[in-house]
Amino acid sequence: MRPGMIDAAWLPPEAWRAVGSRRIRVTGSGLLVDTVAGELRRACERFGGEVVRGSGGPPCDLEMSLDGDAGLGAEGYELTGDDTRTVLRAARPHGLLYGMFHLLRSDDAPATGAFRPAVSRRMLDHWDNVDVHPVMGQVERGYAGGSLFWRAGEPRRDLARITAYARLLAACGINAVALNNVNVHATEARLLTDRLGEVAEPAEVFRRYGIRTHLAVSFAAPVLHGLSTADPLDRRVRDWWDGVTADVYAAIPDFGGYVVKADSEGQPGPFTYGRSHADGANLLADVLAPHGGVVHWRAFVYNHRQDWRDRSVDRARAAFDHFTPHDGTFRDNVVLQVKHGPIDFQPREPVSPLIAAMPATRVGAEFQITQEYTGQQRHVCYLAPMWSELLRGEQGPAIAEFAAEFVAVANVGDDPFWTGHPLAQANLYAFGRLAWDPGLEPAAVLDEWAGLTFPRGPRRLYDTLHAIMDGSWRAYEKYTAPLGVGFMVRPGDHYGPDVDGYEYTPWGTYHHADRDGAGVDRTVATGTGCAGLYPKPWSKIYESPDDCPDELALFFHHLPYGHVLQSGSTVIQHIYDTHFAGAREAAEMRERWAGVAGLVPAATHERVRELLDEQVRSAEEWRDQINSYFFRKSGVPDAEGRRIY
Amino acid sequence: MRPGMIDAAWLPPEAWRAVGSRRIRVTGSGLLVDTVAGELRRACERFGGEVVRGSGGPPCDLEMSLDGDAGLGAEGYELTGDDTRTVLRAARPHGLLYGMFHLLRSDDAPATGAFRPAVSRRMLDHWDNVDVHPVMGQVERGYAGGSLFWRAGEPRRDLARITAYARLLAACGINAVALNNVNVHATEARLLTDRLGEVAEPAEVFRRYGIRTHLAVSFAAPVLHGLSTADPLDRRVRDWWDGVTADVYAAIPDFGGYVVKADSEGQPGPFTYGRSHADGANLLADVLAPHGGVVHWRAFVYNHRQDWRDRSVDRARAAFDHFTPHDGTFRDNVVLQVKHGPIDFQPREPVSPLIAAMPATRVGAEFQITQEYTGQQRHVCYLAPMWSELLRGEQGPAIAEFAAEFVAVANVGDDPFWTGHPLAQANLYAFGRLAWDPGLEPAAVLDEWAGLTFPRGPRRLYDTLHAIMDGSWRAYEKYTAPLGVGFMVRPGDHYGPDVDGYEYTPWGTYHHADRDGAGVDRTVATGTGCAGLYPKPWSKIYESPDDCPDELALFFHHLPYGHVLQSGSTVIQHIYDTHFAGAREAAEMRERWAGVAGLVPAATHERVRELLDEQVRSAEEWRDQINSYFFRKSGVPDAEGRRIY
């Protein structure tokens, strides 16, 4: 890739060929319709088609209009037509935008039908800092270079790049972004006030692609701006938020709202003032409501100064125990934003019990596209299969049944490939698509992404991408922490293995391995009772080591190494087998990738090749550390006599 | 302590009372004699004595002159006299300086005799950075605030503070300092050239107290200053060093020389050019020789990218294997600076085998006063007993027999107490005193330090200090890594326990604990052969698990948990017993300290009290983690049934 070039991701010029060669009529008016018409006009200029604005005149190959049925909702659209002519109808401009991108990804066979998203908000949280944080850098848990929005304390103002980004997001269905890190430091707290222009400018770009901009704020913002208190029940505090919020909407009329991480890992919150999280969230909800804004209130509240000696405390229960008593007390425009699992974005966790336990609260399920615990964009790890399992409820309550919206932590940066690992683009794309339709098959989403990203490639290329990516999350799971136990990572950076790294820390992330067995007893009968927090039948399933899915065996149970899993293998032999298999699968990915040299752009191939070297090295490191650790503890030799150090 | 006040350490005004109330004659002239006369004059102004310069006139209570025997050497002195009159004679001005401080610490009973130091250079290495390093901060491994010399990229120029510091160092016998970190970063590399003034200014102060200033330099300094190479055999490189060194001596006529960490932990060195360490060290030695300077060449060379799976590689052998073939090839003004132990300043290590294996090389033994691995100046850990054992050879070759000089990493900073922990001042004092006379008893040195620091206190105070400090290193040893195995610390900051923290890393610092036993087999018979690198009888003693001192049992042997030590205890029961005992001793220190409230300055008492709280907490954390770790692995219950988590 030439210096300064940016990868086109899933919108290379070629992706527009079929649409851009047609005669297209776009009727309707307004900002989004102009965006649609502009995009199509550029495509037609390249590929020989034509865009006609307004009604009347002879029929076109592609007719786009706003006379769709009101039942399509704010974002839905309807496609009708045949091989020669397509009609795209929407009730609102958003529908035209999403319909246009639909046509791009299905240019071979024109789809017909009515389409609308499962949820009304599909959001990305950027964990970007304005200043370079001394530990976390420009982007917290970012593995794709610097921020798209700030560099070293100043706005980057690269509006062309933000435009390209907004287009990519719209093409996969994202309609909301929060620009800054939920850990709001001092400089970033001023984005709400005197640095608001740094938010308004990108918001202007995002707006043209149907995306509303949100802002992470500090609950202590009033104090950081000179008030003596941030007590949510104090009149002066409410007035302060009221005034500030009015200013925000004056600058950004379609502003989405606030994102708040309160009383969590050291962030300030209502507890400081003896108030509840409902008090805190409702204060912000009330000031946002007149403007049509919402508050995303994160449920990631737990004791991060736990005593590892005290096995009665269970971080997996913390959010449930904290928030369920408040169900029904939050305003309608509060979104309780709950991480998908009860701990923290591990490669394997059960669904958070909180998600299914707040029937009278608007719940947003939070996912993590940035691969903090899943290989940090140095490993291929296609996450859609994990999200799909969680959304559809294959091993627990179906998130899609309970969540009213979906939020994910973004994985992008100023890297030329956007996401560091070129194949990690697929995770961003897939999140958008699954948020639109949680019922999509991960492999079908990969087809879409691969077809757009590497258009008109030979079948062999797509087959190889499937062979590498479809099972990559399970491969990663195999060579890392076993059987759902989680958190055997290096403290701090969370990359690479360190089995005891968190075992004797205050973070509540333990495995309890000893010479006889491993795992955390979270049963009702003898453990922390976490299993009992789930609705039936899951509470019963998780409670029993014989029924609990193998993948979650050590999450819910402390099991002897000789315990026979449902697979028929013992715990210890399962550990050995999966670790040898996972590392081997990483090596196979590398071999497979070598076979598609020449079928993808050279720079893309080279970047992935380099990263696969690191993945293979790291997978072997995981294999050997995990196997050595458990062999040294258990003393049980590998049944197949393979090398354990 | 009032803001801005600096603790007087072991030179409070009261320490000068006896001397300052006498009538004193100082004969001789020159900078150091002026310093001595000036110090005494200030004391006499306070306590009613008088200083007379020059010979002639009636006899004084205290006569100081330079007519001592030449056999006293450059720094020695002779004391004669009786209860009413003292005569201090030296051959050179340094002797008067050290004699004066001798009188301060023995003001009750005038000592008589001739005194001269065991070695001619007694040096402190400061690991101070000019810029704040993003990870290591202003002072690498510093636990006493910022640097005395630089702050945030600029010289502090606090000459009053440096004067006070130089006086403290002279009072315990230090006569050389290196100002900056051996890890020389880009900014610090310019101290040698355009920032030389920042070295010359403190050097001027140190000179007045008989202390020569040295500088840590980067072996790549020529390249950092624009040359294309730093190859030690390249003529241009030699010329460059020649010119730069002449400039240094023009600015600092008594400049001591260069300190170099080459080819070590990522620092550049002669290996880059295919040259040997003798080539590298001799280049610098040759350019320094005409000016009377020396090069301290650190022997801390090992593979820090080792594969933990490969048990044939042993970091404890690395410096020996690397340097012994070069014995006899170093210039006379090269000091091979060898850490006291073969690994890295652990609370318990055998002597480095290299120290006794370089008969034709000038060896400097390096100690670490800054408590990187011994409690980071949050724990009381009086190190003189450890150094004394090593110097006198209680469990291995006696360092004092082999080393021609002693160097130590300083523990000071801009903290009001100089050393963070007020009682850590004793370590700085004791290093100076033991470097002067390695035969001193640690408890006697503590008496000196306590008497000077807390003059005229009640017996109960000194008894308490002994009760807390004499055994504090052994207490620390008890509650941390057992039986000499070392390095069970948190990676990175090295504070607090993490048993497996370094076990699967590239650093070469392993314990090899499994369910059956622990320790590193370094025997000749079945291990890495490190035991065989020692002179007899130590090679034989270390080789045998029955003869090897218990304290080093797991350093040299991998032993089953049931192995019976010379103490009669098993390995596992020893672990439990020492950890319960060590934590209890920390708690006793805290109780004892409570009993001397009112007997030391309130600010000192308060600071130590706070730190003892942390020490007790940390010791319990160590106790519980170490005990849990080994109980989980071994499955052997504590014979006394105490609580293990």
Side-chain angles (χ1 to χ4, degrees):
Chain A
M1 182 170 293
R2 292 199 306 278
M5 288 285 288
I6 304 298
D7 188 59
W10 52 87
L11 286 180
E14 194 60 27
W16 298 85
R17 177 179 293 277
V19 162
S21 57
R22 303 177 90 170
R23 201 157 166 276
I24 309 168
R25 186 196 317 281
V26 181
T27 58
S29 63
L31 184 68
L32 281 191
V33 179
D34 289 347
T35 297
V36 168
E39 292 288 342
L40 292 172
R41 193 168 290 121
R42 264 193 301 281
C44 288
E45 281 165 10
R46 181 184 289 262
F47 294 108
E50 186 189 355
V51 173
V52 181
R53 292 295 298 264
S55 53
C60 290
D61 307 334
L62 171 55
E63 300 272 357
M64 300 173 74
S65 67
L66 287 172
D67 56 358
D69 188 274
L72 291 169
E75 300 182 303
Y77 54 90
E78 186 185 28
L79 287 166
T80 53
D82 52 35
D83 281 356
T84 60
R85 185 155 175 277
T86 307
V87 178
L88 166 61
R89 287 192 187 88
R92 309 278 305 137
H94 271 84
L96 290 192
L97 182 74
Y98 296 127
M100 172 180 74
F101 286 119
H102 185 131
L103 293 171
L104 253 60
R105 65 179 174 257
S106 56
D107 63 355
D108 294 340
T112 58
F115 303 89
R116 45 178 301 180
V119 298
S120 60
R121 191 177 293 107
R122 303 165 304 279
M123 181 166 174
L124 289 185
D125 282 0
H126 297 87
W127 284 354
D128 293 15
N129 299 313
V130 174
D131 286 329
V132 178
H133 186 270
V135 175
M136 291 299 175
Q138 190 75 68
V139 180
E140 179 158 336
R141 308 302 178 188
Y143 311 103
S147 165
L148 294 173
F149 310 115
W150 291 278
R151 180 156 49 200
E154 298 298 329
R156 294 184 55 139
R157 320 192 76 157
D158 184 351
L159 300 187
R161 184 89 195 246
I162 298 175
T163 302
Y165 181 52
R167 183 186 295 118
L168 287 170
L169 297 190
C172 66
I174 302 294
N175 67 0
V177 294
L179 297 192
N180 63 311
N181 189 0
V182 290
N183 292 314
V184 181
H185 309 291
T187 301
E188 291 77 5
R190 308 203 81 88
L191 292 173
L192 184 63
T193 52
D194 39 309
R195 299 187 73 149
L196 182 60
E198 299 171 29
V199 181
E201 198 170 66
E204 164 84 28
V205 176
F206 283 119
R207 182 180 304 123
R208 285 186 252 138
Y209 288 87
I211 298 164
R212 290 174 77 171
T213 297
H214 299 238
L215 196 62
V217 300
S218 168
F219 193 77
V223 173
L224 295 171
H225 286 80
L227 252 67
S228 60
T229 177
D231 180 349
L233 301 193
D234 189 297
R235 187 72 234 172
R236 292 164 301 166
V237 172
R238 179 169 295 250
D239 289 346
W240 186 88
W241 280 109
D242 226 14
V244 162
T245 304
D247 292 345
V248 170
Y249 277 91
I252 310 169
D254 63 338
F255 181 71
Y258 299 137
V259 180
V260 189
K261 176 178 181 178
D263 293 313
S264 172
E265 298 182 335
Q267 291 291 310
F271 287 169
T272 311
Y273 307 99
R275 310 302 183 188
S276 75
H277 276 229
D279 293 332
N282 290 342
L283 159 72
L284 298 178
D286 287 344
V287 302
L288 286 160
H291 306 284
V294 298
V295 54
H296 285 85
W297 192 264
R298 290 179 94 233
F300 190 49
V301 176
Y302 69 98
N303 177 7
H304 68 288
R305 294 187 181 156
Q306 181 175 334
D307 188 339
W308 60 269
R309 303 167 182 88
D310 180 1
R311 294 201 181 185
S312 72
V313 179
D314 183 2
R315 173 167 163 182
R317 293 190 59 118
F320 182 99
D321 290 341
H322 183 72
F323 282 98
T324 52
H326 297 289
D327 188 32
T329 67
F330 291 99
R331 300 281 190 269
D332 288 348
N333 64 331
V334 171
V335 182
L336 188 67
Q337 184 168 323
V338 187
K339 292 193 181 191
H340 67 71
I343 304 281
D344 190 10
F345 296 139
Q346 296 303 291
R348 176 71 72 172
E349 288 187 57
V351 167
S352 166
L354 180 60
I355 289 179
M358 299 291 282
T361 302
R362 185 173 178 88
V363 168
E366 181 178 329
F367 300 88
Q368 194 183 41
I369 315 178
T370 192
Q371 292 172 237
E372 179 176 0
Y373 296 101
T374 51
Q376 303 199 350
Q377 282 136 262
R378 290 187 253 180
H379 294 228
V380 181
C381 188
Y382 179 51
L383 293 166
M386 174 170 82
W387 298 332
S388 176
E389 278 194 23
L390 292 162
L391 289 164
R392 298 201 270 196
E394 292 186 19
Q395 296 192 336
I399 289 179
E401 282 178 28
F402 296 95
E405 55 184 76
F406 303 119
V407 184
V409 186
N411 66 342
V412 296
D414 67 0
D415 172 70
F417 291 98
W418 297 94
T419 53
H421 202 306
L423 303 186
Q425 294 173 1
N427 287 326
L428 179 56
Y429 182 86
F431 170 73
R433 295 289 293 129
L434 287 174
W436 178 286
D437 180 358
L440 291 174
E441 288 295 334
V445 175
L446 188 68
D447 273 337
E448 284 183 15
W449 170 79
L452 285 167
T453 303
F454 307 110
R456 281 168 247 288
R459 188 69 246 159
R460 183 159 65 84
L461 170 61
Y462 304 125
D463 288 347
T464 300
L465 288 169
H466 277 290
I468 290 173
M469 296 172 73
D470 282 347
S472 57
W473 161 59
R474 284 189 177 273
Y476 188 85
E477 179 185 27
K478 281 178 196 166
Y479 59 73
T480 57
L483 295 163
V485 75
F487 255 101
M488 292 180 171
V489 293
R490 270 211 313 258
D493 74 354
H494 297 163
Y495 186 77
D498 185 348
V499 180
D500 275 1
Y502 277 99
E503 187 61 8
Y504 302 93
T505 71
W507 293 95
T509 49
Y510 313 120
H511 55 64
H512 295 167
D514 59 27
R515 73 193 326 249
D516 302 314
V520 182
D521 185 350
R522 292 192 163 103
T523 63
V524 175
T526 56
T528 69
C530 179
L533 306 182
Y534 288 86
K536 285 184 183 160
W538 296 107
S539 55
K540 191 160 164 297
I541 290 170
Y542 294 151
E543 179 76 10
S544 156
D546 296 327
D547 297 330
C548 181
D550 282 353
E551 290 85 349
L552 298 171
L554 300 187
F555 186 93
F556 285 112
H557 300 276
H558 185 87
L559 297 175
Y561 294 119
H563 172 87
V564 178
L565 297 164
Q566 294 178 50
S567 68
S569 184
T570 60
V571 166
I572 189 70
Q573 193 58 42
H574 173 94
I575 291 173
Y576 299 151
D577 289 346
T578 51
H579 284 78
F580 284 110
R584 192 174 57 242
E585 288 169 29
E588 287 165 1
M589 290 181 200
R590 180 165 63 176
E591 283 169 36
R592 290 197 163 100
W593 185 253
V596 296
L599 304 185
V600 299
T604 305
H605 194 272
E606 175 64 9
R607 171 74 73 93
V608 173
R609 194 190 61 70
E610 287 170 6
L611 290 166
L612 279 164
D613 284 347
E614 164 57 14
Q615 180 170 4
V616 170
R617 185 208 64 74
S618 176
E620 289 173 354
E621 180 71 30
W622 271 102
R623 174 196 66 198
D624 291 338
Q625 276 200 40
I626 296 281
N627 284 346
S628 286
Y629 181 95
F630 284 102
F631 174 67
R632 289 196 197 179
K633 271 216 155 124
S634 71
V636 180
D638 172 37
E640 298 192 26
R642 291 163 292 195
R643 180 73 186 267
I644 296 177
Y645 294 88
Chain B
M1 185 170 291
R2 292 200 307 278
M5 286 287 286
I6 304 297
D7 188 58
W10 51 87
L11 287 179
E14 193 59 26
W16 298 85
R17 176 179 294 277
V19 163
S21 57
R22 303 177 89 168
R23 200 159 166 274
I24 309 168
R25 184 194 321 278
V26 180
T27 59
S29 63
L31 184 69
L32 281 190
V33 179
D34 289 346
T35 298
V36 168
E39 293 287 345
L40 292 171
R41 192 169 291 122
R42 265 193 301 282
C44 289
E45 280 165 10
R46 181 183 290 264
F47 294 109
E50 185 188 357
V51 174
V52 180
R53 291 295 296 265
S55 52
C60 290
D61 305 335
L62 171 56
E63 300 272 358
M64 301 171 74
S65 66
L66 289 172
D67 56 358
D69 188 275
L72 293 169
E75 300 182 305
Y77 53 90
E78 186 186 28
L79 286 166
T80 54
D82 52 34
D83 281 355
T84 59
R85 185 156 174 273
T86 306
V87 178
L88 166 60
R89 290 193 186 86
R92 308 279 305 138
H94 271 84
L96 290 193
L97 182 73
Y98 296 128
M100 172 180 74
F101 286 119
H102 185 131
L103 293 172
L104 254 59
R105 64 178 177 259
S106 55
D107 64 353
D108 292 340
T112 57
F115 303 87
R116 45 179 299 180
V119 296
S120 61
R121 193 177 291 107
R122 304 167 301 279
M123 181 166 174
L124 289 186
D125 281 1
H126 297 88
W127 285 355
D128 293 16
N129 300 312
V130 175
D131 286 330
V132 178
H133 186 271
V135 175
M136 291 300 173
Q138 191 75 66
V139 180
E140 179 158 337
R141 307 302 178 187
Y143 312 103
S147 165
L148 294 173
F149 310 115
W150 291 280
R151 179 156 50 199
E154 298 298 330
R156 294 183 56 139
R157 320 193 75 156
D158 185 350
L159 300 187
R161 184 89 194 245
I162 298 175
T163 302
Y165 181 52
R167 182 185 295 119
L168 288 170
L169 296 189
C172 65
I174 301 293
N175 67 359
V177 294
L179 296 192
N180 63 311
N181 190 359
V182 290
N183 291 313
V184 181
H185 309 293
T187 301
E188 292 76 6
R190 309 204 80 90
L191 291 173
L192 184 62
T193 51
D194 40 307
R195 300 188 73 150
L196 182 60
E198 298 170 28
V199 182
E201 198 171 68
E204 165 83 28
V205 175
F206 283 119
R207 183 180 305 124
R208 284 185 253 140
Y209 288 87
I211 298 165
R212 290 173 78 171
T213 297
H214 299 239
L215 196 61
V217 300
S218 168
F219 193 77
V223 174
L224 295 171
H225 287 80
L227 253 64
S228 60
T229 178
D231 180 349
L233 300 192
D234 189 298
R235 187 72 235 170
R236 291 164 301 167
V237 172
R238 180 170 295 252
D239 289 346
W240 186 88
W241 279 109
D242 227 13
V244 161
T245 303
D247 291 345
V248 170
Y249 277 91
I252 310 169
D254 63 338
F255 181 70
Y258 300 137
V259 180
V260 189
K261 175 179 181 178
D263 294 313
S264 171
E265 297 182 335
Q267 290 291 309
F271 287 170
T272 311
Y273 308 98
R275 310 302 183 189
S276 74
H277 275 227
D279 293 332
N282 290 343
L283 160 72
L284 298 178
D286 287 344
V287 302
L288 286 160
H291 307 282
V294 297
V295 54
H296 284 85
W297 192 264
R298 290 179 95 232
F300 190 51
V301 176
Y302 69 98
N303 177 7
H304 67 288
R305 294 189 179 153
Q306 180 175 336
D307 188 339
W308 60 267
R309 301 168 184 89
D310 179 0
R311 295 203 180 183
S312 72
V313 179
D314 182 2
R315 173 168 164 181
R317 293 189 58 118
F320 182 98
D321 290 342
H322 183 72
F323 283 98
T324 52
H326 297 289
D327 188 32
T329 67
F330 291 99
R331 301 281 189 271
D332 288 347
N333 64 330
V334 171
V335 182
L336 188 67
Q337 185 169 322
V338 187
K339 291 192 182 191
H340 67 72
I343 303 281
D344 189 10
F345 295 140
Q346 296 303 292
R348 175 70 72 171
E349 287 187 57
V351 168
S352 166
L354 181 60
I355 289 179
M358 300 291 282
T361 303
R362 185 173 177 86
V363 168
E366 181 179 329
F367 300 88
Q368 194 183 40
I369 315 178
T370 192
Q371 291 173 238
E372 178 176 1
Y373 297 100
T374 51
Q376 303 199 351
Q377 281 137 260
R378 290 187 253 180
H379 294 227
V380 180
C381 187
Y382 179 51
L383 293 166
M386 174 170 81
W387 298 332
S388 177
E389 279 195 23
L390 293 162
L391 289 164
R392 299 202 267 195
E394 293 187 18
Q395 296 193 335
I399 290 180
E401 280 177 29
F402 295 97
E405 54 184 76
F406 303 119
V407 183
V409 186
N411 66 343
V412 296
D414 68 359
D415 172 70
F417 290 99
W418 296 95
T419 52
H421 201 306
L423 302 186
Q425 293 173 1
N427 287 326
L428 180 55
Y429 182 85
F431 169 74
R433 296 289 294 130
L434 287 174
W436 179 285
D437 180 358
L440 290 174
E441 288 295 333
V445 175
L446 189 69
D447 273 337
E448 284 183 15
W449 170 78
L452 284 166
T453 304
F454 306 110
R456 280 168 247 287
R459 190 67 246 161
R460 183 159 66 84
L461 170 61
Y462 303 126
D463 289 346
T464 299
L465 288 169
H466 277 289
I468 290 173
M469 296 172 72
D470 281 346
S472 56
W473 161 60
R474 284 189 176 275
Y476 188 83
E477 179 186 28
K478 283 180 196 165
Y479 59 73
T480 57
L483 295 163
V485 77
F487 254 101
M488 293 179 170
V489 293
R490 270 211 313 257
D493 74 355
H494 298 164
Y495 186 77
D498 185 348
V499 180
D500 275 2
Y502 277 99
E503 187 61 8
Y504 302 93
T505 71
W507 293 95
T509 48
Y510 312 121
H511 55 65
H512 295 166
D514 60 26
R515 75 193 323 251
D516 302 315
V520 182
D521 184 351
R522 293 192 162 103
T523 63
V524 176
T526 56
T528 69
C530 180
L533 306 181
Y534 289 86
K536 286 180 182 161
W538 296 107
S539 55
K540 191 161 165 296
I541 290 170
Y542 295 152
E543 180 76 9
S544 157
D546 295 326
D547 297 330
C548 181
D550 282 353
E551 290 85 349
L552 297 171
L554 300 187
F555 187 91
F556 284 112
H557 299 276
H558 185 86
L559 298 174
Y561 293 119
H563 172 87
V564 178
L565 297 163
Q566 295 177 50
S567 68
S569 184
T570 61
V571 166
I572 189 70
Q573 193 58 42
H574 173 94
I575 291 173
Y576 298 151
D577 288 346
T578 51
H579 284 78
F580 285 111
R584 192 176 56 241
E585 288 169 29
E588 287 165 2
M589 290 180 200
R590 180 165 63 178
E591 283 168 35
R592 290 198 163 100
W593 185 254
V596 296
L599 304 186
V600 299
T604 306
H605 195 270
E606 175 65 8
R607 172 75 73 96
V608 174
R609 192 190 61 69
E610 287 170 6
L611 290 165
L612 279 165
D613 284 347
E614 165 56 15
Q615 181 169 3
V616 169
R617 185 209 63 76
S618 176
E620 290 174 353
E621 180 71 30
W622 271 102
R623 174 196 67 197
D624 292 337
Q625 277 200 40
I626 296 282
N627 284 346
S628 285
Y629 181 94
F630 284 102
F631 174 67
R632 289 195 197 179
K633 271 217 156 120
S634 71
V636 180
D638 173 38
E640 298 193 25
R642 291 163 291 195
R643 180 74 186 265
I644 296 176
Y645 294 89

